[in-house]
Amino acid sequence: MSFRLNMVQPILTLIYNPACNKCNKALSILHKTLEQQPGIFNLDVLDYQKTPLTRDQLRNIVQYLNIENDLSKILRNEDGTVKEGDATTKIEQPKSIQELTNIIKEQPIRLQRPILVDWDKGKAIIARPAEKVDGFLKELGYTKE
């Protein structure tokens, strides 16, 4: 009879846009970590433009980022304006998770990216710059240096 602990690897999700340099840099950092420490976590890469985040996923990410009181922080152009040529247009900011979900569904490019989520530990970061991934992995105990 074998007495092995039933170890479940944590799952980290990178919310990702393949056309984004910062996303590709973050993905590269994660792959390098997994090469150096195979099996430390499972990596799930989510191209949010092909597979939109659900309302529940967004709600959790907002909580993990601790931005419940300012949902605009998860959006690009968080200052609430968009520039087109010389004109600046004010855009509506989300007041609820449902509004945030609708904005991202209608305009996925507005989502800040990359976002790295540890669902088990209830933590997330917006990895801008991508080097924030290293600090996040250290903070969570996945890497030492």
Side-chain angles (χ1 to χ4, degrees):
M1 181 185 282
S2 174
F3 293 97
R4 290 187 206 166
L5 293 176
N6 190 9
M7 301 286 286
V8 177
Q9 290 176 317
I11 298 172
L12 300 185
T13 300
L14 182 66
I15 299 165
Y16 173 84
N17 176 349
C20 172
N21 289 335
K22 290 186 178 30
C23 287
N24 288 315
K25 174 75 173 165
L27 184 59
S28 174
I29 292 167
L30 290 163
H31 280 161
K32 183 178 174 188
T33 300
L34 287 171
E35 285 173 16
Q36 293 171 348
Q37 299 180 68
I40 193 78
F41 55 81
N42 286 322
L43 180 60
D44 179 29
V45 179
L46 176 68
D47 180 344
Y48 68 92
Q49 293 186 45
K50 290 183 180 175
T51 308
L53 294 165
T54 67
R55 187 179 61 158
D56 289 337
Q57 287 170 322
L58 269 173
R59 179 185 308 113
N60 287 336
I61 292 167
V62 162
Q63 288 173 349
Y64 299 168
L65 290 169
N66 197 23
I67 58 169
E68 296 95 335
N69 295 325
D70 190 358
L71 298 176
S72 65
K73 287 186 176 181
I74 200 168
L75 296 174
R76 297 177 68 136
N77 302 97
E78 62 269 16
D79 66 348
T81 62
V82 173
K83 292 185 180 185
E84 291 182 33
D86 292 335
T88 300
T89 307
K90 185 95 171 131
I91 52 178
E92 192 168 327
Q93 296 301 308
K95 295 173 189 67
S96 69
I97 294 294
Q98 186 59 54
E99 285 181 20
L100 179 63
T101 305
N102 293 341
I103 288 170
I104 293 170
K105 185 177 182 181
E106 293 167 12
Q107 303 168 32
I109 201 72
R110 287 197 56 205
L111 181 66
Q112 284 280 14
R113 62 193 183 274
I115 299 173
L116 184 58
V117 182
D118 183 327
W119 303 103
D120 296 325
K121 294 186 179 180
K123 301 273 187 182
I125 58 160
I126 297 171
R128 293 181 80 85
E131 290 74 18
K132 284 186 172 184
V133 169
D134 287 321
F136 187 66
L137 294 175
K138 286 177 203 158
E139 175 189 330
L140 297 176
Y142 296 121
T143 60
K144 302 289 182 228
E145 294 183 25

